[in-house]
């Protein structure tokens, strides 16, 4: 069982011992950096949030 499979199954895993998890973490770090450089009104924010989370849900505040 790979470390990613262990993670997805909710088991203990070593995130530093699986190249796929290391690569995914680096992609996410780059996306977070890009997100933090954008203005709140920039339409690209939603795209980046969706890439990071895998979905985007707009929350409306009343």
């Amino acid at each position: 069982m790979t470390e990613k499979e262990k993670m997805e199954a909710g088991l203990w895993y070593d995130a530093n011992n699986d190249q796929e998890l290391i690569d995914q973490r680096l992609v996410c770090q780059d996306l977070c950096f890009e997100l933090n450089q954008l203005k709140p009104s920039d339409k690209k924010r939603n795209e980046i949030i969706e890439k990071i989370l895998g979905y985007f849900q707009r929350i409306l505040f009343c």
Side-chain angles (χ1 to χ4, degrees):
M1 181 178 268
T2 67
E3 297 301 312
K4 184 175 181 179
E5 290 170 338
K6 291 178 190 176
M7 176 193 73
E8 291 171 342
L11 303 172
W12 286 96
Y13 67 98
D14 183 357
N16 297 313
N17 197 22
D18 186 305
Q19 191 59 47
E20 183 179 6
L21 291 176
I22 294 168
D23 294 342
Q24 288 179 345
R25 188 169 55 238
L26 184 58
V27 168
C28 190
Q29 288 171 337
D30 287 345
L31 288 169
C32 287
F33 179 84
E34 187 177 345
L35 177 64
N36 288 329
Q37 306 309 309
L38 295 176
K39 293 179 182 179
S41 60
D42 194 321
K43 304 274 188 226
K44 191 172 180 186
R45 291 180 64 81
N46 295 349
E47 294 173 27
I48 295 173
I49 292 170
E50 187 170 357
K51 286 180 185 177
I52 292 170
L53 299 178
Y55 67 93
F56 179 78
Q57 182 176 8
R58 184 173 304 278
I59 299 173
L60 300 175
F61 295 98
C62 298

